[in-house]
Amino acid sequence: MKKAIIVFVILLILAFGLFWVYRLLFSPERINIIGRTIETTIGFENGVVEFYSCGKLIKRFLKVEKLTTATGTYQKQTRPYRFGYGYIDKNLDGILNKDEKKLGKVYFEIPSQRDYIYYDAKVIPEE
C-alpha cells in the first residue's frame, strides 16, 4: 500500500512537470512566435510600403521584411488590419538616410480600407 502511494505521488509530480514543460514549449503563444520567426526568415528583406491619399504619396516605409495579416491567438480569426516593421522614409525620397536609419525600424498598422502598395524593391539605396 505504501509503495502504491509513493508511485502515485511520483507519477503525479512527473505529470505536473510534463504539463508545465508542454505549456512553456508548445503553448499557442510560443507556436505563434516560432511561426512568425520562420515567416520573417523567408520573407522579403527590402520590401517597401507606400500609403496614398487621393492619388498622392503621403507615407513610405523602407526595408519592410514582411507584411502580416493579424490573427487572434486563441480565436484563430483574422483581424481587419495588417502590420509590419520598417524604416520610415520621412522625406519620401526612397533613400534610407542616416537620420532615418538611426531611428530604427518602427511598427506600423494598415487598416483594411487604406490605399497602399507593398512591393519588393530588391535594393534600397542608402545614404
Side-chain angles (χ1 to χ4, degrees):
M1 180 72 171
K2 209 174 200 184
K3 285 185 180 181
I5 293 174
I6 293 173
V7 170
F8 177 74
V9 170
I10 291 173
L11 287 176
L12 189 63
I13 292 171
L14 185 62
F16 187 72
L18 288 174
F19 170 76
W20 280 106
V21 168
Y22 171 79
R23 285 288 292 155
L24 291 174
L25 297 178
F26 301 107
S27 66
E29 295 88 3
R30 180 73 59 193
I31 291 171
N32 283 344
I33 290 169
I34 292 168
R36 278 190 232 107
T37 303
I38 292 169
E39 289 174 6
T40 300
T41 305
I42 59 176
F44 291 126
E45 292 180 359
N46 290 317
V48 177
V49 176
E50 296 177 342
F51 294 97
Y52 291 88
S53 179
C54 299
K56 183 179 178 187
L57 177 64
I58 58 170
K59 185 142 328 229
R60 178 185 288 140
F61 292 93
L62 303 171
K63 292 205 173 208
V64 177
E65 292 178 3
K66 66 175 182 163
L67 197 60
T68 305
T69 302
T71 57
T73 302
Y74 295 107
Q75 295 85 12
K76 302 294 182 204
Q77 297 173 348
T78 57
R79 297 193 176 150
Y81 65 90
R82 301 187 80 188
F83 68 92
Y85 294 89
Y87 295 100
I88 189 165
D89 187 12
K90 288 187 171 188
N91 54 8
L92 301 176
D93 63 353
I95 298 172
L96 185 57
N97 302 326
K98 291 178 184 175
D99 293 335
E100 296 165 349
K101 193 168 187 174
K102 189 172 25 173
L103 294 173
K105 288 192 173 184
V106 296
Y107 172 83
F108 61 91
E109 291 181 359
I110 306 169
S112 59
Q113 54 276 73
R114 187 73 177 214
D115 291 334
Y116 71 95
I117 297 174
Y118 176 57
Y119 61 92
D120 185 21
K122 303 294 181 206
V123 176
I124 304 233
E126 293 188 27
E127 190 178 76

